[in-house]
Structure formats: C-alpha cells, structure tokens
C-alpha cells in the first residue's frame, strides 16, 4: 500500500471513530476543551494543533496546560491565533530567553566587564550561603512574558479571558498540584514551567511553586471540571524512559520524580475524546536548538487532524450556527503610569533606582518603553529577578509595581578557566554592595592557579542623570610564567610579577560610552627560571596619567552578534625607577641600546560585529599600540601572540604562540567569520595581519621583516561555565602549526 493510501486510510479510521454526540437542535452548544501537555521544547509542537483548529474553524471554549503547554495555552486563551503564536515562536531567540544572560547593552558601563563571567553566584544571608532553588532565573523570559501578556494586564481572573484558562504548578512545600486561575498571569505561567533545579521556584499567592509537570503534566481532568463536553488533548511528553535510555544521574533523578505523574497521566489520557500523541521520541525537553524541526512535526500532525476538526466544526455549526468569533483584546499603544510601587525593593537606593529607570509618574508609556526601563534597572546588577506588574486603576491607567528579587549585599561567585598560557585556574569572587556607601560596590577576585591573579576593586556611583559620574579604584596583582622566544621558538622560561594601583573618575553616558581620567602606579619584576641565554632580571616601577574613551554596544560579552567596541587610551609614563641586572651585573641604560625616561603611549582597539545572516557573523578588528620616544624592550613593550590577551601588555594574534614577538609599536587588523551550527555551537575562521616595530631606532627599511600574518580555525561551544574553544593556528612567519585551548572566561587586566 502506498504512503498516500495509508494516510487516507488513517483519516478514514479517525473519522469513523468520532464520538457519537447527541446534538439537539434545542440544546446548548457543546463546550470544546483543549489541553496542552508540558514537555519543554517539545511543547512547540502544540502550535500545529492550534493552527489546525483555527483553519478548521473549530471554536475552543476552555484551555488548560502545564509548563510549555501553559505558555502556548495561555497565549491562545487570551486571543492570540495559532498563526500568530507560530510567528512568535519562530522569532524567539531561545538561547537568550532560557538563560541568565540579558543583553549587555542593558548594563551600565561600570558593570559590563564582570556581567555573566561566573558559572555560580551564591548569596550570603543571615550568616550562611543560600543556594538558589534553580540554576536559571531567565530574566529575559520574564520581560518577554510582560510583552506577550500586556493585552490582559488588567485581568486578574483567568476565567475572563477570551477563552477561560487554568494552568498547573506544584507546591514545593507539600508536593500537591496547584490549579492557577487567578492573579498575575506572568507569575502563574512562569511557575508552571519552573523545572526543579533548572529554573528558580516562583512565589505565587503565598506559596512557592515549581513545575506542574511533576504532578499533573496533562491536565485533562481540569478542563473537564471547567465544563468541557468535548476534550482535545495534545500530548508531547514521551513518558518514562526505558532503563537502557537512562544515561546520566540527572535522568535517573528526573525519572524518579515523574513516577507519580506517569501513573496519573494514563487516567488523564482516558478522559480525552480526541487524543493527539506527537512522535517526538528523538527530542528532549531541552531541544530548543531543534525548534524548527519540532514545530514542523506539530504542523504535520495538525494537517492530519484538520479533517477531524473540520468535520466536528461543520457538524456543530450546522446544528447551532456559527459561534461568535474570538477577537484579540484591544491594545492601546500607551498606558498612563499613575504611580510606581517599589515596596518589594529594600537594598538599592531609591533615588538611584528612579534615575536608572527613567520612568516618571503621570506620563504615558508603551510596553516596549517599560521593558527598556526594567532592563536599565536590571543593568545595575542589583537584581537576580526584576519584572513588573500593571495594576489597573482606570481605563488605560495603571500603577506599575516592580516585582524584584534582589541580590544579597554579599555574594560569592565561582568560575573556572583554562587556556594554553595560564593553565587551569579557579576564579573566586566576593562582592559587597552598598556596604561602603550607596550606591557602591566592593569586589575581591582571586584566581587560584600556578599563575595566580588578584583584583580588589571599589566603585562608587554618584552624580546626576545628566552627569552620571563614578569613582573607580582598583589594585591588581599578577604572576605569570612565560617562554622567551627566538625566531618563534621557545628558549627558556621567565617569571614576571606585576602589581598596580589605579584610580579614575569616569563619566558614562547612555550605557554605551564613558570618558575617564585617571592615575596609575605600577611595578614589574622579572626573573629567569631556566634555559634562557640572557640572564636578565630586575624591576621597574613608574607612574602613568591617562585619558580613556570607551564605547561598547556589543549585545554579549562572548560571541556578540551585533555591536561595536572602541577603546582609545593615550597616556604619559613618568618617573620610571629601574633596577636591572644582566648575567648578574647591573645593566646601564645604553648597554643594549635601550632608551630610558618619560614617554608617551597610546592604545587603540576597535571591533565591529556584523550579522550577515541568521547563522553567519563577520567581525572586523583593528588594534594599535605605540610607545613613543622610547625603546623599552622588557618592561614596557607589547607581547604579541595567542588567541586572547591573558597577561600584562599582551596583544592577541592568531597564528603565533603567546608572547612570541615583543615590540614597542604595532598596527593590527583582523577578520573573523563565525558560523553558528546551533545556538551554542559554532565554527570560526580568523585571519590577522600586523606591522610592528616601526618605532625602533635601529629599524631598517625591510618592510617584510616587520610584517606578521596568521590564521586560525576554531570549533567552540558556549557552555554553562563559559566558552569552550579548540583552535588550530598557523603563521607563514613561523611555519609552525599550533593548537590553542580556552575554557571559560579569562581573568586578566582587561576584560575586552
């Protein structure tokens, strides 16, 4: 039998099995109920059923759902069509929504360098560390819900939606199912999908709630209780896994957690008149990278059930007439904000909060403007969760209530980093907010490694909205072992130890650009370890005054998909005090033709990320670093090489090893192409070119001698602990193929 004949036979069988309802000309029109199961990413398949219902003209009267089914069901209940939900799902960046990483553009300049660098952040409260109830808070998901549910912000009774709606969560204290049909829709839906240990638990109506899928993943009985005579159930859950498919301890724990729900689910399935089981065994609840394929499967199932829905709709319409069409709620462009209620906020300075927010009472704002205001406040990094509720007080008028979960005044953070130069490093941070003045931040970071680093930083924000000033002071210590190179080949090891104290006054506008003027004192020590031809050792300390202009519109700290970074830092180095020995003898200033004294230095960095297509991104880079009027071959020169800068005065250059070339002047250009295989996996190719050492007094006119070229191919993964990159590098200058590995975010003098 051909595939087409088999499909026609299946349709005929489905039609023959239609329930034999006793429709009466004088009776009330039977109520149609729709239940959508939970299933994480697999819940996107529900979209195909919603589109089929709309196409068939079958009016749904009640909706219930759990987890992803609660999201899809609530959107359908408040008036979104199946096609509009389809368009919403196609446009979503699930990697952003289901993470703890908001756009970097939301953060004030003082917070950008540290945001998102740590795999674990644990607050210290009441004398002990408090472990969060889940890994993901998903701030952007809260704000997306604010946008999607704005048409019904004034409705607190879910029975008053275009289609009455209920969703299910689990009470964390009792383990009992909680049926939510009133209150804040955003909190209800977010609670229904709060998978334990993955998403944080949600407070709701005096209870702490987690994913409803633990106890009732397919709430058909609830839609029956609402009054549904005919129930259509769309189920994307695969049930319990067979023993041979339990491949990890987490899967075993989740299997145990769902034992009770699996037994109850059979009873719920029996209550369906039309039961749709989607063939999604090859996907998991985390398969958002395969969202297009999952939606396609749902659309195919919708096509198969369209004749069933159409026949039922036509039968009902023939007896009872056409039902009243569901219309989308009238949405006004702007809402008058009568009052801003901040009773859930205790730590952050309220004048600072109002200044960061930029919303004034008694004015009209769009939903987009309110979201931007929340992102701006979240960008102060005082909050782990921040969204808003609109409490209706009159037509088109509401109070804006901020719903916040603040970071504790003391927070501990952990991260791990490994790269070819610094080796493995455990990075620990303790951050104190508003302990020494408001608003302020005191941060101590230590990198525990054979190449350790330590940073102590204090930031105090003051000024006004028009003049946003900050005073930033920091102390930094770094010890690093590195190879000395001759003709790109290592010839022994040196160890450097550097420390500095820096203070600056910074003026930051619009969260993208800052102007700073500062003073800097630094000391550098070097000593040979083994195998070096020149036994050069000693120290140098100096003062440096500088001006800095920085612009950063990147949307992400790592793998930005759009935006520009620009840094210009001219400085004047003075009062050098140097003690150096060569082979145990004091080194005079002219022993190696080394000039010594005050000098002018400048650094310039530019990076532009261009989204070429949905998966392709082009990054253009330019960098220049010049020491004028000086030839400092050890203490003030620039060390070129490696994929990322990890130590003092290092300039990255794909193709040659870390610190393989030392120079007092350089101009570099780079081109990087990146292809996103999935939202987290990518491949990249880099080409860079550099002209260096053009300020040396002894430089001859052979241009090629000072020209470097390099290439790299990279395969990477954006993991929960940071980027994991494997690169192969090659340079025509060295003729050597090298590999380079980086895991996690580096701990170095500069973040960018």
């Amino acid at each position: 039998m051909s595939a087409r004949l088999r499909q026609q036979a299946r349709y005929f069988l489905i039609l023959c099995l239609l329930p034999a309802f006793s429709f009466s000309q004088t009776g009330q029109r039977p109520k149609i109920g729709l239940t959508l199961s939970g299933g994480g990413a697999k819940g996107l398949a529900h979209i195909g059923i919603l589109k089929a219902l709309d196409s068939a003209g079958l009016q749904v009267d009640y909706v219930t759902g759990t987890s992803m089914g609660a999201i899809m069901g609530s959107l359908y209940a408040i008036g979104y069509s199946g096609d509009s939900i389809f368009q919403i799902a196609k446009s979503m960046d699930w990697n952003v929504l289901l993470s703890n990483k908001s756009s970097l553009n939301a953060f004030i300049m003082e917070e950008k360098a540290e945001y998102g660098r740590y795999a674990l952040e644990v607050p210290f409260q009441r004398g002990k560390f408090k472990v969060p109830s889940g890994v993901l808070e998903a701030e952007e998901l809260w704000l997306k819900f604010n946008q999607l549910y704005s048409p019904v912000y004034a409705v607190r009774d879910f029975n008053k939606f275009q289609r009455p709606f209920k969703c299910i969560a689990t009470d964390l204290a009792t383990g009992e199912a909680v049926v939510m049909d009133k209150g804040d829709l955003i909190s209800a839906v977010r609670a229904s999908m709060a998978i334990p240990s993955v998403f944080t638990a949600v407070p709701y109506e005096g209870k702490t709630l987690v994913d409803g899928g633990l106890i009732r993943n397919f709430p058909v009985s609830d839609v029956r209780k609402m009054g549904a005579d005919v129930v259509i159930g769309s189920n994307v859950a695969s049930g319990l896994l067979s023993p041979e498919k339990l491949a990890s301890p987490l899967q075993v724990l989740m299997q145990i957690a769902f034992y009770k729900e699996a037994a109850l689910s059979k009873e719920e399935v029996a209550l369906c008149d039309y039961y749709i089981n989607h063939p999604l065994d090859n996907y998991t609840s985390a398969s958002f990278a395969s969202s297009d394929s999952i939606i396609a499967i749902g659309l195919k199932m919708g096509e198969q059930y369209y004749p069933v829905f159409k026949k039922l709709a036509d039968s009902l319409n023939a007896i009872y007439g056409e039902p009243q069409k569901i219309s989308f709620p009238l949405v006004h462009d702007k809402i008058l904000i009568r009052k801003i209620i901040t009773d859930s906020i205790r730590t952050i300075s309220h004048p600072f909060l109002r200044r960061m927010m930029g919303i004034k009472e008694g004015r009209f704002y769009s939903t987009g403007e309110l979201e931007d205001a929340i992102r701006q406040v979240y960008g102060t990094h005082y909050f782990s969760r921040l969204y808003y509720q609109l409490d209706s007080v009159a037509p088109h008028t509401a109070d804006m209530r901020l719903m916040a979960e603040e970071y504790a005044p003391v927070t501990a953070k952990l991260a791990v980093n490994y790269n070819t130069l610094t080796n493995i490093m455990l990075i620990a941070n303790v951050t104190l907010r508003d302990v020494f003045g408001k608003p302020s931040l005191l941060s101590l970071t230590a990198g525990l490694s054979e190449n350790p680093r330590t940073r102590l930083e204090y930031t105090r924000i003051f000024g006004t909205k028009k003049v946003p000033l900050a005073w930033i002071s920091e102390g930094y210590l770094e010890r690093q072992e590195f190879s000395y190179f001759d003709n790109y080949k290592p010839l022994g090891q040196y160890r450097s130890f550097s420390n500095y104290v820096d203070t600056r006054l910074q003026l930051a506008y619009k969260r993208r650009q800052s102007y700073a003027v500062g003073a800097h004192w630094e000391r550098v020590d070097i000593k040979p370890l083994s195998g070096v031809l020149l036994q050069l050792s000693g120290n140098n300390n100096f003062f440096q005054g500088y001006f800095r202009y920085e612009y950063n519109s990147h949307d992400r700290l790592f793998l930005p998909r759009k935006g520009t970074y620009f840094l210009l830092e001219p400085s004047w180095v003075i009062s050098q005090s140097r003690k150096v020995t060569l082979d145990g003898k004091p080194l005079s200033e002219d022993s190696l033709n080394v000039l010594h004294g005050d000098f002018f230095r400048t650094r310039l960095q530019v990076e532009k990320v261009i989204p070429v297509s949905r998966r392709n991104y082009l990054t253009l880079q330019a960098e220049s670093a010049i020491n004028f009027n000086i030839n400092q071959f050890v203490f003030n020169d620039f060390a070129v090489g490696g994929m990322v800068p990890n130590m003092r005065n290092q300039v990255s250059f794909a193709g040659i090893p870390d610190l393989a070339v030392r120079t007092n002047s350089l101009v570099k250009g780079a081109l990087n192409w990146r292809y996103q295989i999935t939202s987290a996996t990518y491949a990249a190719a880099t080409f860079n070119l550099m002209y260096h050492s053009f300020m040396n007094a002894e430089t001859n006119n052979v241009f090629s001698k000072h020209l470097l070229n390099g290439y790299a191919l990279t395969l990477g993964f954006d993991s929960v602990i940071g980027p994991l990159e494997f690169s192969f590098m090659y340079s025509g200058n060295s003729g050597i193929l090298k590999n380079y590995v980086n895991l996690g975010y580096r701990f170095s003098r500069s973040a960018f």
Side-chain angles (χ1 to χ4, degrees), residues 74 77-78 152 155-165 185:
S74 60
I78 67 177
V152 292
V155 182
R156 287 293 186 264
D157 183 353
F158 302 171
N159 291 308
K160 293 182 179 179
F161 292 160
Q162 301 284 12
R163 300 177 174 96
F165 170 73
L185 179 61

Side-chain angles (χ1 to χ4, degrees), residues 166-310:
K166 297 181 189 293
C167 61
I168 313 299
T170 302
D171 189 329
L172 190 59
T174 65
E176 298 297 322
V178 177
V179 180
M180 297 174 286
D181 59 3
K182 65 179 184 299
D184 177 44
L185 179 61
I186 296 172
S187 297
V189 172
R190 173 62 173 77
S192 184
M193 60 166 288
I195 302 171
S197 77
V198 178
F199 290 98
T200 54
V202 177
Y204 181 87
E205 303 289 325
K207 299 177 180 179
T208 301
L209 304 182
V210 294
D211 189 7
L214 294 173
I215 194 70
R216 193 145 73 240
N217 195 52
F218 193 41
V220 181
S221 56
D222 297 282
V223 82
R224 285 287 187 190
K225 292 175 183 177
M226 294 173 74
D229 300 299
V230 182
V231 175
I232 300 167
S234 177
N235 190 5
V236 298
S238 302
L240 297 177
L241 297 174
S242 59
E244 58 271 12
K245 291 185 178 181
L246 296 173
S248 70
L250 180 60
Q251 287 181 319
V252 173
L253 291 174
M254 295 300 289
Q255 181 96 331
I256 295 171
F258 282 102
Y259 276 156
K260 183 177 180 181
E261 192 284 325
L264 294 174
S265 183
K266 296 178 182 179
E267 300 175 9
E268 300 289 332
V269 169
L271 296 174
C272 292
D273 296 297
Y274 303 99
Y275 175 63
I276 304 167
N277 188 22
H278 296 262
L280 295 167
D281 290 344
N282 293 330
Y283 302 91
T284 71
S285 59
S287 298
F288 286 97
S290 302
S291 59
D292 290 346
S293 300
I294 292 171
I295 292 173
I297 291 173
L299 293 173
K300 185 174 182 180
M301 293 299 292
E303 291 174 359
Q304 292 182 12
Y305 277 86
Y306 169 80
V308 179
F309 300 153
K310 180 64 173 171

